[in-house]
Amino acid sequence: MIISNTNVDVCINKIKMIRPGINPKSCDLNLNIDWSIEYIKTNEGNMEYVCTLNAIGEMPIQFAVQGSLECEDRSEDLEKRSDELSPLILDKCMNTMINIVNITKNSVVTIKNVPEVYLNCFSGEFKN
């Protein structure tokens, strides 16, 4: 990410997502999102952030990303540039949340029966 010719690394350290207990059938993920980003300055002078997203609707999801911002120019005060950083962090978190929702959706797996011939071949070979 480049902000006014200053390189900033946006690091993701932790991700937390809570999906509803049961996936609603045939529902679209509603992107009405209540979001917030909190910036924390560490003792070492680095910046950390926590981005929280709460999807509202048929499939309510709570999602949070905790990370850090690293700037090659140590004199840069990232806290004063939160207006530039927040939309970029929000966009990255939204994309991450959507990708994780797609990865964790329910899937159907068909298990084929093993023919009796193969079961007879392995009987007695597995001993404790």
Side-chain angles (χ1 to χ4, degrees):
M1 164 186 330
I2 298 176
I3 300 175
S4 304
N5 297 326
T6 300
N7 290 330
V8 176
D9 289 332
V10 178
C11 306
I12 294 177
N13 301 332
K14 294 181 183 178
I15 297 176
K16 176 183 178 181
M17 185 172 79
I18 301 173
R19 292 176 58 106
I22 298 172
N23 287 334
K25 300 220 185 253
S26 303
C27 85
D28 294 326
L29 178 60
N30 185 347
L31 292 181
N32 285 332
I33 301 287
D34 182 21
W35 65 275
S36 66
I37 300 175
E38 179 184 347
Y39 294 97
I40 303 119
K41 201 165 200 170
T42 65
N43 293 337
E44 297 82 33
N46 297 330
M47 287 289 291
E48 295 182 352
Y49 68 91
V50 176
C51 180
T52 306
L53 306 172
N54 288 309
I56 303 163
E58 290 180 61
M59 188 168 174
I61 296 173
Q62 295 176 339
F63 187 77
V65 173
Q66 179 182 349
S68 60
L69 304 170
E70 297 174 5
C71 186
E72 66 182 21
D73 181 2
R74 292 287 181 189
S75 67
E76 185 72 50
D77 189 358
L78 294 176
E79 196 169 19
K80 292 181 180 175
R81 309 217 32 201
S82 64
D83 288 348
E84 295 173 75
L85 291 166
S86 293
L88 300 169
I89 291 171
L90 178 61
D91 186 53
K92 187 166 187 65
C93 291
M94 287 287 293
N95 287 331
T96 303
M97 181 183 74
I98 290 169
N99 288 335
I100 291 175
V101 166
N102 286 332
I103 289 170
T104 60
K105 66 183 178 184
N106 290 352
S107 57
V108 176
V109 177
T110 303
I111 300 174
K112 297 180 181 177
N113 290 334
V114 179
E116 193 68 35
V117 174
Y118 292 117
L119 293 176
N120 291 335
C121 292
F122 292 108
S123 64
E125 286 187 25
F126 297 107
K127 295 179 183 175
N128 291 331

